[in-house]
Amino acid sequence: YKVPSASIILRAAFLWRTRQFSPEEAYQLGLLNPNLSDSELAQYTSRKKMTAIQRAINPQSWEFLTEDKSIFYKYCMATGIPVPVLYAILFKKAAGWTCNGPSPASRDAWIRFLGEQLPAAFVVKPARGVYGQGVNAFRRSGSGFIDALGRPCKAQEIYEACASDPQFDCYVIQELLRSHRELVRLSGTPSLQTARIVSCVDGDGRCQLLYSSFKAIVGSNIIDNHAGGLTGNLSAEVCLDTGSLNQAVKIALDGSGIQTFSRHPATGLPFEGFKLPFWDEARRMVSEAALKFLPIRTIGWDVALTPDGPVIVEGN
């Protein structure tokens, strides 16, 4: 910004003290720019302030229902909410669960299950993972598997990667979903891309949809998460009424803030006016699911728009 470093440090302190933006958050959003006007700054809300609002609406003790995917998927299955088929839940230090009955409790039992009883393609991800951490997809190839990056592996290697993970102690193994052909056409990738739809149930028990954005994959990424701009993926606001996209944005890595894209950088297709498939069905599905998660009143749903219709992948 061509100003003394001390000015930037003072601005970061000011943003933290008055608006509760962490220095990292302020940097990512470009809020350290001394030329940013008060009216422009007013368009941003810090994660700390937003979390306080959420906790005033959602009972914090219930957060496990959405934040632990193993519990989230089992709850959705029990209440009839469409989610990817859940094949298994793998724990490092306890007996697991599988959809066909047995509860593997040993290394050998898990390796047999992974090698013999799973379908030709599946996804493995940490139950408490965020920002796409630890997610991988596998396809059968000969006597082993090929992962999402094209690397060959065996069933025992998949198990050992989960069992030796120092960060997570529970993994879910589930159906590998694919995006609708229109989304493949937009981004040029078969990897799953989702729409985030934010719901809020009011005091009268009515569900309102507040906001939606479509997460467009860029490059060879296998996940659509943004991770603060590190993945290069884009986000385009969705018109709640029509399912049409607006321009896409991403967070720049150099602290310059939000970058805007009128077209997808890989395919050149325009974002504005692109209509998401199965949008009415997705809205209806989220509105029905939100009522089943009370007393959690506001949730950000990640909805996959597949060739067969919408499926809820996560709740946040």
Side-chain angles (χ1 to χ4, degrees):
Y1 300 121
K2 298 181 180 179
V3 296
S5 298
S7 298
I8 299 297
I9 293 171
L10 289 173
R11 181 169 176 82
F14 168 80
L15 291 170
W16 168 249
R17 187 177 68 253
T18 61
R19 298 177 180 268
Q20 297 183 308
F21 286 101
S22 71
E24 179 183 19
E25 190 178 17
Y27 171 80
Q28 289 179 333
L29 295 174
L31 304 185
L32 298 179
N33 184 351
N35 297 317
L36 202 67
S37 68
D38 289 342
S39 61
E40 291 174 305
L41 183 59
Q43 297 180 49
Y44 295 84
T45 300
S46 68
R47 178 177 293 274
K48 187 175 180 67
K49 281 193 173 184
M50 182 62 75
T51 300
I53 295 170
Q54 290 171 330
R55 287 180 175 172
I57 298 172
N58 293 337
Q60 192 174 353
S61 60
W62 273 56
E63 70 169 355
F64 66 87
L65 194 57
T66 58
E67 304 315 297
D68 188 315
K69 297 175 185 63
S70 63
I71 298 174
F72 175 79
Y73 292 130
K74 289 284 282 183
Y75 182 80
C76 288
M77 291 164 59
T79 54
I81 297 172
V83 291
V85 177
L86 183 62
Y87 300 130
I89 302 173
L90 187 159
F91 298 96
K92 288 198 298 188
K93 299 179 181 179
W97 172 90
T98 67
C99 61
N100 59 5
S103 298
S106 68
R107 175 183 182 276
D108 290 344
W110 271 114
I111 291 173
R112 283 196 301 272
F113 173 81
L114 292 167
E116 300 171 7
Q117 299 185 46
L118 285 174
F122 56 91
V123 171
V124 178
K125 60 186 178 184
R128 297 283 295 190
V130 294
Y131 306 129
Q133 292 173 313
V135 177
N136 207 340
F138 298 90
R139 292 183 178 277
R140 291 193 180 275
S141 177
S143 60
F145 301 92
I146 299 292
D147 75 0
L149 298 178
R151 300 171 299 194
C153 59
K154 299 290 186 180
Q156 56 265 35
E157 293 175 279
I158 298 175
Y159 173 78
E160 295 297 348
C162 297
S164 62
D165 191 323
Q167 186 174 2
F168 303 110
D169 65 353
C170 176
Y171 278 79
V172 295
I173 304 172
Q174 63 181 178
E175 176 186 11
L176 175 64
L177 297 177
R178 286 298 185 188
S179 289
H180 189 281
R181 62 180 179 274
E182 280 296 288
L183 306 184
V184 176
R185 182 173 71 88
L186 174 65
S187 298
T189 175
S191 295
L192 191 66
Q193 301 170 94
T194 62
R196 169 70 58 87
I197 305 176
V198 179
S199 66
C200 185
V201 180
D202 64 22
D204 295 323
R206 294 185 299 249
C207 177
Q208 302 177 48
L209 302 184
L210 305 182
Y211 173 81
S212 180
S213 62
F214 174 70
K215 295 185 279 187
I217 289 179
V218 174
S220 59
N221 290 325
I222 64 170
I223 57 170
D224 61 5
N225 201 279
H226 307 119
L230 291 175
T231 62
N233 292 335
L234 306 177
S235 175
E237 186 175 356
V238 183
C239 174
L240 284 171
D241 291 332
T242 67
S244 295
L245 302 185
N246 203 336
Q247 294 186 105
V249 298
K250 79 169 184 177
I251 296 175
L253 295 179
D254 60 1
S256 59
I258 305 295
Q259 295 179 331
T260 303
F261 295 79
S262 61
R263 295 176 177 271
H264 194 286
T267 65
L269 291 178
F271 286 106
E272 196 160 2
F274 183 93
K275 195 174 188 313
L276 297 180
F278 293 117
W279 185 245
D280 291 338
E281 293 85 346
R283 282 169 48 100
R284 185 164 54 251
M285 179 183 65
V286 164
S287 297
E288 293 173 356
L291 298 177
K292 296 178 180 179
F293 271 74
L294 289 172
I296 300 175
R297 287 175 51 204
T298 182
I299 295 176
W301 307 89
D302 287 342
V303 178
L305 303 168
T306 78
D308 301 316
V311 176
I312 290 178
V313 178
E314 289 185 16
N316 300 274

